[in-house]
Amino acid sequence: MKKIYLVRHCQATGQEPSASLTKEGRNQATKLAQTLGSIPFDKLYSSPFRRAVQSIEPLALQLDKAITLDDRLEERTLSGNPIDNWLEELEKTFRDLSYTVPGGESSQKAMSRGFAAVSEAIHHTKEYAVLMTHGNLLTLMLHHFDPTYDFKTWKALRNPEIYCLHFQNGEIDSIENVALIEDTP
């Protein structure tokens, strides 16, 4: 049995690759490290986007593990230019996985690169790995294994969000949504 944790980054100041975590996002990253810190991860992977790296850094420090940056975990590009109706266009990409907004990446293409990152993590880990990524790509990665994960799933995601993929003999066995440890009163 191997367990691959897919994690959406903590709250950030924006969507651009250089966007940092907010103050709340930094607190969330600490809680994320508390939630996942008892798991003996073999590998830590992250999107190179600043908000993703900042989200996984407290865990890496706690575990004294290196972070492997992986471009395949970058957020999916919906469009080459800003568009007013981006939410409608995004929903279309979940209904038709081959649909592409000009200058953007189809859901199928993004899902394929996300799956490749998961496959590599399965291959290179003994038992546990974590992949820090972004909401749209995370949802598409889940969709690869179970098509019921869709646009509605994406809309309901929080920052951060944790899913654990359980693999038995290289095949998906189950998907579990993991709760973040919250402060106790």
Side-chain angles (χ1 to χ4, degrees), residues 49-115:
F49 285 18
R50 188 173 188 187
R51 61 190 178 272
V53 174
Q54 288 177 331
S55 295
I56 201 171
E57 281 176 336
L59 178 63
L61 288 170
Q62 182 175 324
L63 298 176
D64 194 26
K65 295 274 186 185
I67 301 167
T68 301
L69 299 182
D70 189 335
D71 292 346
R72 295 172 298 184
L73 297 174
E74 289 180 1
E75 182 61 290
R76 173 238 198 133
T77 300
L78 178 63
S79 171
N81 296 302
I83 51 176
D84 293 335
N85 65 336
W86 68 271
L87 196 58
E88 292 169 28
E89 293 294 323
L90 180 62
E91 187 171 9
K92 284 182 195 175
T93 69
F94 275 94
R95 286 194 313 264
D96 177 357
L97 300 179
S98 64
Y99 177 74
T100 306
V101 178
E105 180 181 31
S106 72
S107 291
Q108 186 60 54
K109 186 174 179 183
M111 194 179 345
S112 292
R113 71 175 161 86
F115 175 70

Side-chain angles (χ1 to χ4, degrees), residues 159-170:
N159 292 89
E161 190 79 63
I162 309 166
Y163 282 90
C164 180
L165 308 179
H166 300 252
F167 291 89
Q168 187 73 38
N169 300 318

Side-chain angles (χ1 to χ4, degrees), residues 21-59:
L21 295 183
T22 62
K23 182 179 180 182
E24 175 61 22
R26 289 190 301 278
N27 290 336
Q28 290 169 343
T30 300
K31 290 177 188 175
L32 187 62
Q34 292 169 351
T35 300
L36 300 177
S38 64
I39 300 168
F41 288 107
D42 303 308
K43 293 281 199 172
L44 306 178
Y45 298 92
S46 179
S47 157
F49 285 18
R50 188 173 188 187
R51 61 190 178 272
V53 174
Q54 288 177 331
S55 295
I56 201 171
E57 281 176 336
L59 178 63

